[in-house]
Amino acid sequence: RDDQLDAAGTEWLPVKKSMLGRGSLAVTDGSVTQSGMLGDLLELLDGGRGLSFSSVKTEFSVHDRRVWNERLLVDGKEHAMVFSGSTAFNGDLDYRIGAKALRLGKKRLERLKPLLDADGNLPLRLSGNIAKPKVKGPDAKGLLGGLLGGRDD
């Protein structure tokens, strides 16, 4: 697979509109620290306010003024996450995340079980922008409906 980015134009706006391409990214042994809501999320998953990872891998495409990740895999030392979505050229974020805490104790995992998807991941949404990301957890109304037998009142 060849990584490639094509564009046409002599000024940034037409170039930006015409960008098309694909590529891949692989990073090994690193860490990301975060404050605010992302830090709170990592703390909930029992990893403190940072994420150490063994690898981050993705194949991405560029079109419609966005970088698209169908499957961005974060193989964390304490968490594993799969991101699917896109980042706009202006920094806007739109991702679905499946987060799995690898070191949760049995008691905490049991409490979180109603929130987990079929793969055992905590389903999250990442929106906002790179400067101010927003993480949203599972829909409480949907969760309650599921716990009450699927009623949709």
Side-chain angles (χ1 to χ4, degrees):
R1 176 182 152 113
D2 294 331
D3 294 345
Q4 170 184 335
L5 182 62
D6 297 317
T10 57
E11 295 182 19
W12 176 239
L13 188 58
V15 168
K16 184 166 64 168
K17 288 179 181 179
S18 70
M19 281 188 167
L20 292 172
R22 63 183 180 271
S24 59
L25 172 72
V27 179
T28 57
D29 293 322
S31 64
V32 177
T33 57
Q34 183 63 21
S35 60
M37 196 176 291
L38 289 177
D40 294 344
L41 168 66
L42 291 171
E43 207 164 29
L44 167 72
L45 294 174
D46 203 30
R49 299 188 75 78
L51 171 67
S52 295
F53 58 85
S54 300
S55 67
V56 173
K57 296 178 186 176
T58 188
E59 292 185 1
F60 60 89
S61 61
V62 178
H63 57 88
D64 301 325
R65 297 186 220 178
R66 299 182 86 82
V67 177
W68 298 85
N69 293 280
E70 186 61 37
R71 199 166 160 79
L72 187 148
L73 303 171
V74 178
D75 182 15
K77 295 177 180 176
E78 297 177 3
H79 313 292
M81 293 186 230
V82 178
F83 291 74
S84 177
S86 65
T87 302
F89 289 174
N90 69 0
D92 288 347
L93 303 168
D94 183 17
Y95 286 92
R96 290 178 313 284
I97 305 170
K100 184 173 291 196
L102 302 176
R103 295 185 352 153
L104 279 182
K106 192 172 185 175
K107 187 175 182 179
R108 183 174 281 179
L109 186 59
E110 197 57 39
R111 279 187 288 168
L112 290 176
K113 195 171 184 175
L115 300 174
L116 304 180
D117 65 15
D119 296 322
N121 294 321
L122 183 63
L124 305 166
R125 297 282 305 174
L126 176 63
S127 61
N129 59 49
I130 292 172
K132 291 191 177 197
K134 297 175 187 171
V135 176
K136 183 178 178 187
D139 177 46
K141 184 178 178 184
L143 172 65
L144 289 174
L147 290 174
L148 296 174
R151 290 180 40 188
D152 201 17
D153 297 335

